[in-house]
Amino acid sequence: MKPDSPHAAMTPQQLAAQEAKQRYGKPERGWREKLYIVIFEAETRTGRAFDLALIAAILMSVTVVVLSSIASVAARYNTVLMALEWFFTIVFTIEYIARLLCLKHPVRYAKSFFGLIDLLAIIPTYIGLLLPGAHVLIDVRILRLLRMFRILKLTSYVHEYTVLGRALLASKRKILIFLSFVMMVVFLLGTVMYVVEGPDNGFTSIPTAIYWAISTMTTVGFGDIAPKTDIGRAISSLMMLLGWGILAVPTGIISSEMTMQRSVKLVTTRACPACLKEGLDDDARFCKNCGDKLPPMASD
């Protein structure tokens, strides 16, 4: 699907839905299509409920892993924790198999980033039967939360994350040039401090002096090393003041890009049931293609 305007942008929900539909294949009919809608289309009521339930299961399963790492808790509730771990593993196994069954190209999903994360979320428990201690790897399933942000319907927050990502991408060249300039200043002043202070005052090498220069430029401070000479203190004072000024440069670059991104029009995965037109506005009541009345959004 192409947006109506060249300035239109896809929401995170639309990007995820389009990727799943185009790359993995959406079934056209039958129980596989119904299962696909529940699992991959988060803007439906059932899809949102499924993803929210899955988020709760992920958080609880990670909590179980964390509690099992506490010796006193594990000794007292070991049986309960193991039972819960197996329960969540079975749930995630069924969910993983369901995802593969409702896709036209399940192998593509299995090889994708989130497909591998889904697999890693269940494998450690089964491996733990043969290799004790391997169940600790279950912590990796918390990465699956990355996929779930699209269903929380926190439009104002998710949109800002998207705007920030686009702003960083658009200003990457400016930021890289700026960082290269900062690194040149740090290398230069760090070398100067090595010459001025010397090993007797803690600046035992140029890399050490450069590290001190970086920590001073960022106003963090090395801690163990401080200039002892008047010239060294003057240089460090200049670097600290310069550090405060440097912080404003990337902030201005990113802020200007974010201001531009705010003017970008957003579209959703909403589709007209009559003409199947996609990308309708979330507040639209009638289809802009055929004029047919639209059903309310899942959140309405």
Side-chain angles (χ1 to χ4, degrees):
M1 181 207 62
K2 294 183 179 179
D4 293 335
S5 168
H7 299 289
M10 290 186 177
T11 62
Q13 294 94 332
Q14 186 181 27
L15 290 173
Q18 287 295 316
E19 179 184 9
K21 184 177 180 180
Q22 296 175 2
R23 184 177 180 184
Y24 310 131
K26 178 181 178 180
E28 298 176 356
R29 62 180 66 87
W31 63 270
R32 295 178 64 198
E33 181 187 15
K34 296 179 180 179
L35 188 61
Y36 177 94
I37 293 174
V38 172
I39 294 178
F40 286 97
E41 295 186 0
E43 291 189 354
T44 63
R45 281 191 174 92
T46 54
R48 183 176 60 177
F50 172 82
D51 282 352
L52 288 174
L54 193 57
I55 286 177
I58 292 171
L59 292 175
M60 287 187 291
S61 66
V62 172
T63 302
V64 170
V65 175
V66 172
L67 291 176
S68 64
S69 67
I70 304 175
S72 58
V73 176
R76 186 173 182 179
Y77 302 102
N78 181 64
T79 303
V80 176
L81 293 175
M82 286 299 299
L84 288 174
E85 177 51 44
W86 274 107
F87 168 76
F88 289 124
T89 299
I90 293 173
V91 169
F92 293 136
T93 302
I94 295 174
E95 180 248 347
Y96 178 67
I97 295 174
R99 287 183 182 275
L100 297 180
L101 289 177
C102 70
L103 296 173
K104 288 185 177 180
H105 307 289
V107 177
R108 293 181 183 177
Y109 178 80
K111 294 180 179 180
S112 67
F113 172 77
F114 287 115
L116 294 175
I117 293 299
D118 289 344
L119 186 61
L120 290 175
I122 59 178
I123 281 184
T125 304
Y126 296 114
I127 294 179
L129 292 174
L130 302 176
L131 302 175
H135 66 281
V136 178
L137 296 176
I138 298 167
D139 281 326
V140 76
R141 74 164 55 118
I142 200 172
L143 294 177
R144 301 172 70 194
L145 287 173
L146 295 173
R147 182 181 53 220
M148 301 305 170
F149 282 104
R150 70 183 187 273
I151 56 89
L152 297 181
K153 299 300 181 183
L154 300 178
T155 307
S156 59
Y157 295 99
V158 174
H159 175 49
E160 291 303 324
Y161 293 149
T162 306
V163 169
L164 178 60
R166 292 200 188 104
L168 290 173
L169 186 62
S171 56
K172 62 180 181 180
R173 181 176 176 82
K174 298 177 183 177
I175 293 177
L176 287 175
I177 293 175
F178 169 75
L179 290 177
S180 64
F181 169 76
V182 172
M183 289 304 300
M184 286 189 293
V185 173
V186 166
F187 270 80
L188 177 61
L189 294 181
T191 304
V192 171
M193 287 297 291
Y194 170 73
V195 175
V196 171
E197 294 292 329
D200 294 338
N201 293 329
F203 294 81
T204 55
S205 64
I206 291 180
T208 300
I210 291 174
Y211 180 63
W212 172 89
I214 293 174
S215 61
T216 302
M217 185 79 76
T218 56
T219 68
V220 174
F222 202 132
D224 296 335
I225 300 178
K228 301 296 190 300
T229 64
D230 293 335
I231 299 178
R233 290 180 180 136
I235 295 174
S236 62
S237 298
L238 176 63
M239 292 181 65
M240 285 183 278
L241 293 175
L242 185 61
W244 281 104
I246 284 176
L247 290 175
V249 176
T251 303
I253 294 174
I254 297 173
S255 297
S256 63
E257 292 292 342
M258 290 184 67
T259 301
M260 295 178 61
Q261 292 293 333
R262 287 180 185 276
S263 62
V264 176
K265 181 183 177 182
L266 290 175
V267 292
T268 68
T269 58
R270 199 177 184 189
C272 175
C275 66
L276 302 180
K277 171 69 176 178
E278 294 182 325
L280 302 177
D281 297 335
D282 57 357
D283 59 348
R285 295 186 178 182
F286 298 91
C287 177
K288 57 187 176 183
N289 185 49
C290 67
D292 200 63
K293 188 175 182 180
L294 299 174
M297 293 281 286
S299 57
D300 293 348

